[in-house]
Amino acid sequence: MSTTTVNQTDCPDVKVPVPLFFTIGVVSLAENLLVVVSVILNRNLHSPMFCFICSLAAFNTMASLTKTWENLMIVFANVGQLEKKGSSEMKLDDVMDSLLCMCFVGSISSFLAIAVDRYITIFHALRYHNIMTMRRTKAILGVIWITCGVLAVLMIAALPSSSGGKFGRQRWRGSSMRGALTLTILFGAFVVCWTPFFLHLILIMVCPMNPYCECYRSLFELHVVLMMSHAAIDPAIYAFRSAELRHTFRKMLLCSDCKQRS
């Protein structure tokens, strides 16, 4: 490799096996759907924090569906069932890119909502239930989803082709700190998994013809795998950190109610 210039051929695209894409997509889809259904079915999880977690899982579900469907289209195109540059295919590709960006913005917004909820829980404990009501929670979620939906539409036009005494307060504070730690872990996983992909998008706009940028973009499929892995990592963090979610998962997966009825 020359010390002054780098040709695009010096950095060939790194390919990831298609089955790996599908495996990650299916696993992350199943995990996040499990989180969404658990929060919906378990009334004990009908609280602001779990509503925001459900929103994050829903965005992850959309991202998994979108990327899995896009990979399926690529497979069909490679076997000659779809035109790679047909007008309808290009429009659908733009829609999928917009949905991925929508999921990215929605995930960030959900993280911020969780962060604000944890902040109020820790520093405004006595007023928490007055500040973070379910009505306000629904309003916040409505703003997040409507805003993300509007952004997705705009992109498709813009794309180029507790009261228990001292013990109770201590237990509550321990729970709050665990929630803050969970948020930190979630945000760390988000940054690690999404940053390479986000940097890829920035480099496309900033230096589309620079050979050094092209070397980084040659790792695109690895960046996508890392991004898709995030959707599978989040539910594992929820289950590991939340006893209530673990209990709900076991009931759903083992169908304990069905066994009792039988």
Side-chain angles (χ1 to χ4, degrees), residues 55 75 93 117-118 125 131 142 148 187 201 204 244:
S55 175
V75 172
D93 185 64
D117 178 79
R118 291 300 86 195
I131 298 174
C148 290
F187 185 73
L201 298 179
I204 289 177
E244 189 68 42

Side-chain angles (χ1 to χ4, degrees), residues 204-251:
I204 289 177
M205 297 181 290
V206 174
C207 53
M209 303 302 295
N210 187 287
Y212 293 100
C213 295
E214 186 65 26
C215 280
Y216 182 83
R217 290 195 295 270
S218 67
L219 303 175
F220 174 69
E221 291 194 4
L222 293 179
H223 302 158
V224 173
V225 167
L226 195 60
M227 178 198 71
M228 293 176 65
S229 299
H230 173 257
I233 292 173
D234 274 357
I237 297 175
Y238 306 148
F240 179 74
R241 303 294 301 177
S242 172
E244 189 68 42
L245 268 179
R246 290 198 302 272
H247 177 68
T248 305
F249 288 167
R250 284 195 296 268
K251 288 182 62 177

Side-chain angles (χ1 to χ4, degrees), residues 137-153:
T137 299
K138 292 177 182 178
I140 293 172
L141 290 175
V143 170
I144 291 175
W145 280 86
I146 292 174
T147 301
C148 290
V150 171
L151 287 176
V153 173

